PDB file of all heavy atoms in Angstrom:
ATOM      1  N   PRO A1015      75.406  30.140 125.058  1.00 51.00           N
ATOM      2  CA  PRO A1015      74.352  29.154 125.272  1.00 51.00           C
ATOM      3  C   PRO A1015      73.770  29.227 126.676  1.00 51.00           C
ATOM      4  O   PRO A1015      72.584  28.992 126.864  1.00 51.00           O
ATOM      5  CB  PRO A1015      75.043  27.816 125.040  1.00 51.00           C
ATOM      6  CG  PRO A1015      76.174  28.124 124.140  1.00 51.00           C
ATOM      7  CD  PRO A1015      76.611  29.509 124.511  1.00 51.00           C
ATOM      8  N   ALA A1016      74.532  29.584 127.678  1.00 52.00           N
ATOM      9  CA  ALA A1016      73.990  29.675 129.033  1.00 52.00           C
ATOM     10  C   ALA A1016      72.920  30.765 129.109  1.00 52.00           C
ATOM     11  O   ALA A1016      71.868  30.590 129.706  1.00 52.00           O
ATOM     12  CB  ALA A1016      75.108  29.942 130.033  1.00 52.00           C
ATOM     13  N   ARG A1017      73.138  31.881 128.479  1.00 52.00           N
ATOM     14  CA  ARG A1017      72.168  32.978 128.494  1.00 52.00           C
ATOM     15  C   ARG A1017      70.900  32.589 127.729  1.00 52.00           C
ATOM     16  O   ARG A1017      69.796  32.893 128.118  1.00 52.00           O
ATOM     17  CB  ARG A1017      72.775  34.227 127.863  1.00 52.00           C
ATOM     18  CG  ARG A1017      73.853  34.851 128.713  1.00 52.00           C
ATOM     19  CD  ARG A1017      74.426  36.046 128.003  1.00 52.00           C
ATOM     20  NE  ARG A1017      75.575  36.563 128.718  1.00 52.00           N
ATOM     21  CZ  ARG A1017      76.409  37.456 128.237  1.00 52.00           C
ATOM     22  NH1 ARG A1017      76.217  37.942 127.009  1.00 52.00           N
ATOM     23  NH2 ARG A1017      77.430  37.888 128.940  1.00 52.00           N
ATOM     24  N   LYS A1018      71.088  31.912 126.618  1.00 49.00           N
ATOM     25  CA  LYS A1018      69.938  31.505 125.823  1.00 49.00           C
ATOM     26  C   LYS A1018      69.074  30.522 126.577  1.00 49.00           C
ATOM     27  O   LYS A1018      67.861  30.574 126.515  1.00 49.00           O
ATOM     28  CB  LYS A1018      70.396  30.871 124.499  1.00 49.00           C
ATOM     29  CG  LYS A1018      70.986  31.863 123.534  1.00 49.00           C
ATOM     30  CD  LYS A1018      71.420  31.185 122.255  1.00 49.00           C
ATOM     31  CE  LYS A1018      72.076  32.141 121.296  1.00 49.00           C
ATOM     32  NZ  LYS A1018      72.582  31.468 120.113  1.00 49.00           N
ATOM     33  N   ALA A1019      69.649  29.666 127.337  1.00 49.00           N
ATOM     34  CA  ALA A1019      68.883  28.684 128.087  1.00 49.00           C
ATOM     35  C   ALA A1019      68.024  29.383 129.138  1.00 49.00           C
ATOM     36  O   ALA A1019      66.879  29.005 129.372  1.00 49.00           O
ATOM     37  CB  ALA A1019      69.808  27.679 128.746  1.00 49.00           C
ATOM     38  N   VAL A1020      68.533  30.414 129.752  1.00 48.00           N
ATOM     39  CA  VAL A1020      67.775  31.150 130.763  1.00 48.00           C
ATOM     40  C   VAL A1020      66.585  31.849 130.116  1.00 48.00           C
ATOM     41  O   VAL A1020      65.477  31.836 130.626  1.00 48.00           O
ATOM     42  CB  VAL A1020      68.700  32.157 131.493  1.00 48.00           C
ATOM     43  CG1 VAL A1020      67.895  33.046 132.414  1.00 48.00           C
ATOM     44  CG2 VAL A1020      69.786  31.408 132.242  1.00 48.00           C
ATOM     45  N   LYS A1021      66.800  32.431 128.957  1.00 49.00           N
ATOM     46  CA  LYS A1021      65.724  33.143 128.275  1.00 49.00           C
ATOM     47  C   LYS A1021      64.627  32.185 127.814  1.00 49.00           C
ATOM     48  O   LYS A1021      63.461  32.498 127.850  1.00 49.00           O
ATOM     49  CB  LYS A1021      66.269  33.906 127.066  1.00 49.00           C
ATOM     50  CG  LYS A1021      67.116  35.100 127.464  1.00 49.00           C
ATOM     51  CD  LYS A1021      67.652  35.804 126.231  1.00 49.00           C
ATOM     52  CE  LYS A1021      68.533  36.973 126.587  1.00 49.00           C
ATOM     53  NZ  LYS A1021      69.117  37.615 125.414  1.00 49.00           N
ATOM     54  N   LYS A1022      64.990  31.022 127.384  1.00 50.00           N
ATOM     55  CA  LYS A1022      64.010  30.059 126.919  1.00 50.00           C
ATOM     56  C   LYS A1022      63.159  29.540 128.064  1.00 50.00           C
ATOM     57  O   LYS A1022      61.981  29.294 127.911  1.00 50.00           O
ATOM     58  CB  LYS A1022      64.706  28.871 126.227  1.00 50.00           C
ATOM     59  CG  LYS A1022      65.280  29.207 124.877  1.00 50.00           C
ATOM     60  CD  LYS A1022      65.935  28.002 124.257  1.00 50.00           C
ATOM     61  CE  LYS A1022      66.568  28.334 122.918  1.00 50.00           C
ATOM     62  NZ  LYS A1022      67.276  27.189 122.345  1.00 50.00           N
ATOM     63  N   ALA A1023      63.708  29.404 129.217  1.00 50.00           N
ATOM     64  CA  ALA A1023      62.965  28.858 130.351  1.00 50.00           C
ATOM     65  C   ALA A1023      61.876  29.824 130.806  1.00 50.00           C
ATOM     66  O   ALA A1023      60.788  29.410 131.185  1.00 50.00           O
ATOM     67  CB  ALA A1023      63.917  28.547 131.501  1.00 50.00           C
ATOM     68  N   ALA A1024      62.114  31.110 130.763  1.00 51.00           N
ATOM     69  CA  ALA A1024      61.136  32.081 131.244  1.00 51.00           C
ATOM     70  C   ALA A1024      59.849  32.068 130.425  1.00 51.00           C
ATOM     71  O   ALA A1024      58.760  32.010 130.988  1.00 51.00           O
ATOM     72  CB  ALA A1024      61.765  33.466 131.279  1.00 51.00           C
ATOM     73  N   PRO A1025      59.882  32.089 129.097  1.00 50.00           N
ATOM     74  CA  PRO A1025      58.622  32.056 128.356  1.00 50.00           C
ATOM     75  C   PRO A1025      57.867  30.763 128.550  1.00 50.00           C
ATOM     76  O   PRO A1025      56.657  30.730 128.537  1.00 50.00           O
ATOM     77  CB  PRO A1025      59.045  32.215 126.902  1.00 50.00           C
ATOM     78  CG  PRO A1025      60.383  32.854 126.950  1.00 50.00           C
ATOM     79  CD  PRO A1025      61.011  32.411 128.233  1.00 50.00           C
ATOM     80  N   ALA A1026      58.545  29.692 128.790  1.00 50.00           N
ATOM     81  CA  ALA A1026      57.862  28.426 128.987  1.00 50.00           C
ATOM     82  C   ALA A1026      57.007  28.488 130.254  1.00 50.00           C
ATOM     83  O   ALA A1026      55.893  27.977 130.296  1.00 50.00           O
ATOM     84  CB  ALA A1026      58.865  27.297 129.071  1.00 50.00           C
ATOM     85  N   LYS A1027      57.470  29.120 131.299  1.00 51.00           N
ATOM     86  CA  LYS A1027      56.702  29.239 132.546  1.00 51.00           C
ATOM     87  C   LYS A1027      55.471  30.103 132.340  1.00 51.00           C
ATOM     88  O   LYS A1027      54.405  29.824 132.857  1.00 51.00           O
ATOM     89  CB  LYS A1027      57.574  29.833 133.651  1.00 51.00           C
ATOM     90  CG  LYS A1027      58.654  28.877 134.123  1.00 51.00           C
ATOM     91  CD  LYS A1027      59.492  29.517 135.193  1.00 51.00           C
ATOM     92  CE  LYS A1027      60.626  28.613 135.648  1.00 51.00           C
ATOM     93  NZ  LYS A1027      61.484  29.279 136.619  1.00 51.00           N
ATOM     94  N   LYS A1028      55.619  31.162 131.556  1.00 49.00           N
ATOM     95  CA  LYS A1028      54.482  32.044 131.305  1.00 49.00           C
ATOM     96  C   LYS A1028      53.381  31.303 130.556  1.00 49.00           C
ATOM     97  O   LYS A1028      52.211  31.465 130.846  1.00 49.00           O
ATOM     98  CB  LYS A1028      54.924  33.262 130.494  1.00 49.00           C
ATOM     99  CG  LYS A1028      55.796  34.229 131.276  1.00 49.00           C
ATOM    100  CD  LYS A1028      56.210  35.375 130.397  1.00 49.00           C
ATOM    101  CE  LYS A1028      57.149  36.333 131.097  1.00 49.00           C
ATOM    102  NZ  LYS A1028      57.624  37.391 130.204  1.00 49.00           N
ATOM    103  N   ALA A1029      53.760  30.498 129.612  1.00 49.00           N
ATOM    104  CA  ALA A1029      52.774  29.767 128.830  1.00 49.00           C
ATOM    105  C   ALA A1029      52.006  28.791 129.705  1.00 49.00           C
ATOM    106  O   ALA A1029      50.795  28.656 129.591  1.00 49.00           O
ATOM    107  CB  ALA A1029      53.449  29.030 127.686  1.00 49.00           C
ATOM    108  N   THR A1030      52.664  28.134 130.602  1.00 50.00           N
ATOM    109  CA  THR A1030      51.965  27.188 131.468  1.00 50.00           C
ATOM    110  C   THR A1030      51.059  27.920 132.450  1.00 50.00           C
ATOM    111  O   THR A1030      49.986  27.454 132.781  1.00 50.00           O
ATOM    112  CB  THR A1030      52.970  26.300 132.225  1.00 50.00           C
ATOM    113  OG1 THR A1030      53.895  27.152 132.924  1.00 50.00           O
ATOM    114  CG2 THR A1030      53.713  25.391 131.274  1.00 50.00           C
ATOM    115  N   ALA A1031      51.473  29.090 132.907  1.00 49.00           N
ATOM    116  CA  ALA A1031      50.646  29.852 133.843  1.00 49.00           C
ATOM    117  C   ALA A1031      49.364  30.312 133.162  1.00 49.00           C
ATOM    118  O   ALA A1031      48.299  30.344 133.760  1.00 49.00           O
ATOM    119  CB  ALA A1031      51.433  31.042 134.375  1.00 49.00           C
ATOM    120  N   LYS A1032      49.413  30.654 131.890  1.00 51.00           N
ATOM    121  CA  LYS A1032      48.229  31.118 131.167  1.00 51.00           C
ATOM    122  C   LYS A1032      47.246  29.981 130.912  1.00 51.00           C
ATOM    123  O   LYS A1032      46.056  30.172 130.895  1.00 51.00           O
ATOM    124  CB  LYS A1032      48.630  31.741 129.833  1.00 51.00           C
ATOM    125  CG  LYS A1032      49.319  33.075 129.986  1.00 51.00           C
ATOM    126  CD  LYS A1032      49.682  33.635 128.633  1.00 51.00           C
ATOM    127  CE  LYS A1032      50.392  34.951 128.729  1.00 51.00           C
ATOM    128  NZ  LYS A1032      50.816  35.477 127.433  1.00 51.00           N
ATOM    129  N   LYS A1033      47.743  28.802 130.715  1.00 51.00           N
ATOM    130  CA  LYS A1033      46.869  27.682 130.395  1.00 51.00           C
ATOM    131  C   LYS A1033      46.010  27.274 131.577  1.00 51.00           C
ATOM    132  O   LYS A1033      44.865  26.904 131.426  1.00 51.00           O
ATOM    133  CB  LYS A1033      47.700  26.478 129.933  1.00 51.00           C
ATOM    134  CG  LYS A1033      48.315  26.652 128.568  1.00 51.00           C
ATOM    135  CD  LYS A1033      49.116  25.439 128.166  1.00 51.00           C
ATOM    136  CE  LYS A1033      49.771  25.631 126.822  1.00 51.00           C
ATOM    137  NZ  LYS A1033      50.616  24.496 126.465  1.00 51.00           N
ATOM    138  N   ALA A1034      46.507  27.358 132.779  1.00 52.00           N
ATOM    139  CA  ALA A1034      45.753  26.907 133.950  1.00 52.00           C
ATOM    140  C   ALA A1034      44.484  27.717 134.184  1.00 52.00           C
ATOM    141  O   ALA A1034      43.407  27.153 134.368  1.00 52.00           O
ATOM    142  CB  ALA A1034      46.644  26.918 135.183  1.00 52.00           C
TER     143      ALA A1034
END
Side-chain angles (χ1 to χ4, degrees):
R1017 290 178 187 168
K1018 289 180 183 176
V1020 173
K1021 289 179 182 177
K1022 288 180 182 177
K1027 290 179 183 176
K1028 290 179 183 176
T1030 55
K1032 289 180 181 177
K1033 289 180 182 176

